Amino acid sequence: MIVVMRPGVEDGLIERVIARLVSAGCDVHRSTGAERTLLGAIGVTAEMDLADFEVLPGVERVLRVSTPYKLVSRRFRPEGSRIELGRDVVIGGEEVVVMAGPGQVESEEQIHRTARDVARAGAKVLRASAFTPRSRPYAFPGLGEQGLQWLRAAAREYRLLVASEVMAPDHIDTVAGYADLLLVGGRHMQNHGLLREVGAAGKPVILKRNIGATIEDWLLAAEYVAVAGNDRIILCERGIRTFETATRYTMDLAAIAVVHERSHLPVIADPSYGTGLRDKIAPMARAAVAAGADGLLIEVHCDADEARSDAAQTLYPEEFQQLMDQLRIIVPALGRSL
């Protein structure tokens, strides 16, 4: 249930409505927009009489939310969310924000060279993982905290923000100490314990879609993060598993438009994982931006063929520069900036 307060209502009246909702057994999440304050009531609300709340001073109207996800629904924040990351970087605004870097931190030299190259091309966020889930138990698992230290130092030198993956609750504090955004990979999209802990950490979260998840599954996973007290969530479309074998996964670009309709959360796309093929990354990146993506997550490595993970889906710096040049042509036509 969502309680919409009147424009300009005084804070005391809002607090009275919150108290009434709490006394009715609800958890209340407050969202303050440019004109109105919305109160999301989470609990057993189906049998509540909306009129009991509509007559309260300061209330404009009360809405039932029919979807199982409440706090991330578009009805809860119709104007959409803008996730401010710092250094004038905002996800969900006019700018299409590009996050780029290697799948993993492999060495101090590698991450510094790659950070320099993606910064020169126009990326705003350096992405790389130090703790990484691998399909094979003998593959390179990452460098742990040493990798995070190199990642943070490289980002600082080239004035980039940092996004890095968390795999387990006991990784969160360590990664959060170095990263500006916490990335939850598709494998962990429905790890509800991890989602709650990530939500409680207070850092912006990139939540990737699982390869077998419906859009509703994905939004419900985001709801777990929001219920834990963190609404700074960025959804990431990274391909789903279908019967098609020509690419690693199938990029579901329609999901970008559907999510924008159903949720206030910004959506970015990862065409590197979505295709698994270097020569398909740029076409799908361009298409994702045209479909309304608020940003891109691109794998870039200073020596892509020698990458210790996912070399086939990783761009060389010069290929990334070419993609950024192409996006600078496309983005203005959409009324956005890069």
Side-chain angles (χ1 to χ4, degrees), residues 205-216:
V205 176
I206 299 172
L207 180 61
K208 285 193 169 187
R209 183 183 183 183
N210 183 273
I211 58 174
T214 65
I215 291 173
E216 183 169 295

Side-chain angles (χ1 to χ4, degrees), residues 33 163 175:
V175 177

Side-chain angles (χ1 to χ4, degrees), residues 41-174:
I42 308 299
V44 183
T45 62
E47 296 182 2
M48 288 184 181
D49 188 345
L50 300 190
D52 291 343
F53 297 93
E54 289 173 334
V55 298
L56 296 176
V59 173
E60 181 176 286
R61 63 186 185 276
V62 182
L63 307 170
R64 291 202 189 277
V65 181
S66 59
T67 60
Y69 45 88
K70 314 296 183 184
L71 300 180
V72 304
S73 73
R74 173 65 70 171
R75 296 191 76 177
F76 185 57
R77 192 173 297 161
E79 71 277 13
S81 286
R82 293 164 52 91
I83 314 298
E84 297 184 3
L85 305 180
R87 296 185 184 175
D88 298 322
V89 178
V90 178
I91 308 287
E94 177 186 309
E95 184 178 10
V96 176
V97 177
V98 178
M99 311 178 189
Q104 296 191 64
V105 181
E106 299 168 5
S107 69
E108 185 173 17
E109 178 188 8
Q110 170 247 16
I111 196 62
H112 274 264
R113 286 176 59 194
T114 305
R116 177 198 64 198
D117 292 335
V118 300
R120 284 178 178 174
K124 298 295 179 65
V125 180
L126 179 63
R127 56 74 48 93
S129 294
F131 301 98
T132 306
R134 304 304 306 277
S135 299
R136 293 172 294 145
Y138 308 109
F140 178 58
L143 297 173
E145 189 165 5
Q146 176 66 81
L148 290 169
Q149 291 171 355
W150 289 338
L151 176 62
R152 181 79 257 180
R156 186 181 302 114
E157 181 174 349
Y158 297 103
R159 297 188 56 77
L160 297 166
L161 298 171
V162 169
S164 197
E165 185 169 0
V166 292
M167 291 172 46
D170 57 2
H171 291 160
I172 293 173
D173 287 344
T174 302

Side-chain angles (χ1 to χ4, degrees), residues 2-73:
I2 295 174
V3 179
V4 182
M5 304 302 295
R6 296 185 186 279
V9 67
E10 60 187 67
D11 202 60
L13 292 179
I14 296 173
E15 292 300 325
R16 286 176 60 185
V17 176
I18 292 174
R20 180 70 177 273
L21 289 167
V22 170
S23 69
C26 297
D27 292 328
V28 182
H29 296 259
R30 178 173 175 171
S31 174
T32 303
E35 297 183 358
R36 289 175 173 79
T37 293
L38 279 66
L39 306 176
I42 308 299
V44 183
T45 62
E47 296 182 2
M48 288 184 181
D49 188 345
L50 300 190
D52 291 343
F53 297 93
E54 289 173 334
V55 298
L56 296 176
V59 173
E60 181 176 286
R61 63 186 185 276
V62 182
L63 307 170
R64 291 202 189 277
V65 181
S66 59
T67 60
Y69 45 88
K70 314 296 183 184
L71 300 180
V72 304
S73 73

